Amino acid sequence: MQTKKNADVLKENIELKEKHILDVGSGEGHLSRMIAKQGAHVIGIECSPRQMKKALSYDCVRDEKFIDAVGQDLPFEDATMDVVVFFNSLHHIPIDEQFNALKEAVRVLRPGGFVYVSEPVAEGPHFELLKPIDDETYVRAKAYEALKRYEELGLKWVKEETYNHPVRRQSFEELRDKLTGPNPERDVIFEEQDAELRAAFAHYGVQKEDGCTYFDQPTRMNLLQKV
C-alpha cells in the first residue's frame, strides 16, 4: 500500500483553485485552511463548540469561514457548491442520517460537482491504538454502505483509492487533546486508562528523528460526481 498524506491525495484528485468548497465536519479547520491556501473559497461546518472555538482562534489565510451546522441539514441553497468534502467525518454523522447527509451534499452541488469522501479504514496501528477509546468498526462500515448507494443519490462513481496515511503526533498529550476536542466525554476514558493508553502509544507508534511518533492508518478515498 502506497504511503501518502491525506492533503496530497485531495490535491491530486480535485482542482481547488477558485472553487467553492464545503468542508463537512471541519473540526479545528486545518483542512479548510489548507484548501483555502490553494486558492479556493471554503466554508467549514462544525457542530462541536470546542472544535469551533479552536477553528476561529487561527488567522484566516484567505476568505474561509466556519458555520455551526450539521451535514444532514446544510444551511445552503441548491447548486451553490463545486465540491463537498467529507474528511474523516461521514462516519461521525449518526448512522440513520449518513445517507441524508450525502443527499444534502448532492443537493447543494452544482451539476458536475464532486463529492469527496476520505475515511480511515478500520485496521492498522492507528486504529488499534484508538480502538479501546472508541471502536468505530461498525460506524465506518455503515458510512461506506451509505456511500455505495450513490446511484440513488444521482452520483457517478469516479474513483476509489486506498493508501496509507501516516498520522503524526508530537506527544501522547497531543493525541489526547485531538481525541477529546470533538468528544469531551472521552476525558474519562483517558483518566481511567492512562497507563494502558500510554503503553499502546509506545507500542503501535514509531518515533522518528523529528521527535514525533507516527502511526500507519490505511485510508480510503472515494470521488463521486453529480450527474
Side-chain angles (χ1 to χ4, degrees):
M1 187 181 298
Q2 190 172 1
T3 296
K4 296 183 177 183
K5 293 182 179 179
N6 287 324
D8 291 338
V9 176
L10 175 62
K11 288 185 284 188
E12 286 172 6
N13 287 281
I14 295 289
E15 174 60 47
L16 300 171
K17 189 173 182 180
E18 295 304 330
K19 301 297 184 182
H20 288 82
I21 298 180
L22 181 61
D23 180 9
V24 178
S26 51
E28 298 178 19
H30 297 306
L31 183 72
S32 294
R33 287 187 291 275
M34 184 282 289
I35 295 172
K37 287 179 181 178
Q38 307 306 308
H41 306 285
V42 189
I43 298 176
I45 67 165
E46 177 58 50
C47 62
S48 164
R50 188 184 293 192
Q51 294 290 80
M52 180 66 77
K53 183 178 179 180
K54 288 183 178 180
L56 295 175
S57 70
Y58 294 93
D59 293 334
C60 274
V61 299
R62 196 168 188 247
D63 60 356
E64 70 275 15
K65 59 183 69 173
F66 298 95
I67 295 174
D68 180 7
V70 294
Q72 60 269 34
D73 187 18
L74 297 175
F76 306 105
E77 298 294 326
D78 296 356
T80 52
M81 301 290 170
D82 298 305
V83 183
V84 178
V85 175
F86 291 87
F87 178 76
N88 288 7
S89 60
L90 184 58
H91 70 277
H92 285 295
I93 294 171
I95 290 172
D96 59 356
E97 294 285 1
Q98 289 172 353
F99 185 76
N100 290 333
L102 292 169
K103 186 183 294 186
E104 277 287 272
V106 175
R107 178 184 66 78
V108 303
L109 275 178
R110 298 186 175 104
F114 292 95
V115 175
Y116 182 97
V117 181
S118 179
E119 286 274 297
V121 180
E123 60 184 56
H126 189 249
F127 171 74
E128 294 298 330
L129 171 65
L130 304 189
K131 198 172 181 180
I133 302 166
D134 189 2
D135 185 350
E136 295 183 336
T137 303
Y138 183 69
V139 294
R140 294 182 190 182
K142 298 304 288 186
Y144 191 46
E145 286 180 18
L147 188 63
K148 292 180 80 171
R149 294 171 60 187
Y150 63 95
E151 290 181 325
E152 298 175 48
L153 296 162
L155 290 170
K156 177 176 67 174
W157 190 275
V158 177
K159 183 178 181 181
E160 177 173 286
E161 179 180 357
T162 304
Y163 57 95
N164 172 56
H165 169 71
V167 178
R168 173 180 174 270
R169 293 287 175 251
Q170 295 181 358
S171 64
F172 177 80
E173 286 68 31
E174 184 195 20
L175 172 75
R176 175 171 179 165
D177 182 64
K178 291 289 184 183
L179 294 180
T180 57
N183 302 95
E185 66 276 7
R186 291 174 177 171
D187 279 321
V188 175
I189 300 174
F190 273 92
E191 290 172 4
E192 294 178 346
Q193 301 184 39
D194 182 78
E196 295 90 339
L197 292 173
R198 288 181 184 273
F201 185 88
H203 174 73
Y204 289 112
V206 177
Q207 191 167 39
K208 297 191 176 181
E209 293 179 356
D210 60 2
C212 295
T213 304
Y214 290 78
F215 304 86
D216 286 348
Q217 176 56 69
T219 302
R220 182 176 54 245
M221 181 281 294
N222 291 97
L223 182 64
L224 304 100
Q225 187 174 27
K226 184 174 180 177
V227 178

